[in-house]
Amino acid sequence: MTAPRLAIFDCDGTLVDSQANICMAMEYAFEEAGMVPPPRPAIRRTVGLSLVEIMRNLLPDGSEEHHRDMAERYRASYLTLRSNGLELEPLYDGMAAVLSELDENGWLLGVATGKSDRGLERCLDHHGIKGLFVTLQTADRHPSKPHPSMVWQALADAGADASNAVMIGDTVYDIHMGKAAGCRTIGVNWGYHPLDELREAGADHLVESMEELMHALEGRA
């Protein structure tokens, strides 16, 4: 019997382009709290972490209570903006075809993300791809990336071994998480961290297109 192959995807910056939504919601949360929002490059640097960890990064002098309060403000801001017509994040061009081909080729698919359970399910349902995934891991039930807890649980859910699994992401947090769990790692260049940082983090492969991603996953020349 062939051992299962598991491809674990990050969501924001890997599956979907969420940059505008995240930045707008963060700016709104800070403004509602009477604070000057961080510059967008600073916000983008933190994408992939859990919300409380994001606030620790953006507000290093704040208390733990303040960080948790701001995380809740962000959640509320995102819901407010969404109710006012905020667009759900689009899949990156070609990603739906990649997921479909992997599924047809016998890969098991998973997600490991800093999103909440509700946010991830809403996103996947919107794009009609939730049924492709055998495991969905979020910040609601795990320590923040780069802790490998999400990958460990994904491996357990899929009945896969780390040697037959790959973590695909756009940030150094994804690469560090995958490597800590013993998986192969692929860094993509269409998200939040540049390729040179993903290379320095130890990514096994770096890709700049969906075609290159398929090549890296399937071991094509």
Side-chain angles (χ1 to χ4, degrees), residues 75 113-125 130 136-142 150:
R75 291 189 184 97
T113 177
K115 281 185 179 295
S116 65
D117 286 333
R118 181 171 60 178
L120 176 60
E121 292 200 10
R122 184 169 60 238
C123 177
L124 299 182
D125 283 339
K130 182 180 173 184
L136 301 175
Q137 304 305 320
T138 77
D140 282 350
R141 289 168 283 115
H142 296 279
M150 284 193 276

Side-chain angles (χ1 to χ4, degrees), residues 88-166:
L88 277 170
E89 305 99 335
L91 285 171
Y92 285 103
D93 289 344
M95 181 56 73
V98 165
L99 297 174
S100 179
E101 185 174 349
L102 290 173
D103 182 58
E104 291 172 2
N105 290 354
W107 283 81
L108 300 179
L109 305 178
V111 177
T113 177
K115 281 185 179 295
S116 65
D117 286 333
R118 181 171 60 178
L120 176 60
E121 292 200 10
R122 184 169 60 238
C123 177
L124 299 182
D125 283 339
H126 174 74
H127 294 296
I129 59 174
K130 182 180 173 184
L132 291 173
F133 298 97
V134 301
T135 180
L136 301 175
Q137 304 305 320
T138 77
D140 282 350
R141 289 168 283 115
H142 296 279
S144 178
K145 297 176 184 180
H147 193 286
S149 175
M150 284 193 276
V151 175
W152 288 339
Q153 188 59 54
L155 292 169
D157 287 353
D161 188 83
S163 63
N164 287 318
V166 57

Side-chain angles (χ1 to χ4, degrees), residues 11-12 24 36 39 42 45 52 54 57-58 67 70 77 94 114 120 122 132 134 136 161 173 177 188 190:
C11 189
D12 294 313
M24 283 191 291
V36 176
R45 291 291 308 167
V52 173
I54 284 173
N57 277 264
L58 295 177
H67 294 151
M70 288 302 296
S77 296
L120 176 60
R122 184 169 60 238
L132 291 173
V134 301
L136 301 175
D161 188 83
Y173 317 125
M177 177 175 66
V188 304
W190 49 81

